[in-house]
Amino acid sequence: MTVTPDRARGAFLGMVLAGEPLDPDAVTLGLQLTDAQLAGALSLAAELTTRHPGEFFYIQQRGSRTQIHLSPDETGLDDYSAELYFDLDAVSVAILVTVLMAEMD
């Protein structure tokens, strides 16, 4: 799925207003992304949802590397201490990874 930058902000705000279960940090940071970055994040979210329907994700950072992992359910992780975020939906993980990658550049 391709989300064009001119429609990304409206699509994202629609999700927020519809009460999608987005991570609060993803909502706050998503509003700060450029239209192009937000479009890229929503395209990534669509790809993640297509490839891994119903899965939860967690983000882990090791040194300068950020990794996305899948968890089959909300209790799939034994140790949350090393995770930046856990139990994320695809939209939240895509926004947070976009922000983390932008900070690294």
Side-chain angles (χ1 to χ4, degrees):
M1 174 178 155
T2 302
V3 180
T4 59
D6 60 328
R7 296 179 187 225
R9 185 119 357 243
F12 179 65
L13 291 175
M15 286 181 224
V16 172
L17 292 173
E20 292 290 325
L22 303 173
D23 182 87
D25 286 346
V27 173
T28 301
L29 295 169
L31 293 171
Q32 297 173 20
L33 292 174
T34 66
D35 289 345
Q37 289 171 320
L38 189 54
L42 294 179
S43 292
L44 174 60
E47 184 178 330
L48 290 172
T49 300
T50 301
R51 289 186 181 183
H52 307 284
E55 297 281 345
F56 290 91
F57 302 87
Y58 64 98
I59 300 172
Q60 184 177 55
Q61 192 161 15
R62 292 186 182 186
S64 64
R65 293 182 46 199
T66 300
Q67 300 172 334
I68 302 172
H69 298 278
L70 296 174
S71 179
D73 58 39
E74 294 181 26
T75 60
L77 296 174
D78 295 329
D79 177 21
Y80 291 117
S81 63
E83 319 321 329
L84 292 175
Y85 292 95
F86 52 91
D87 294 341
L88 295 173
D89 60 285
V91 173
S92 295
V93 78
I95 289 172
L96 292 168
V97 165
T98 300
V99 170
L100 289 170
M101 296 306 292
E103 288 178 359
M104 289 180 186
D105 289 342

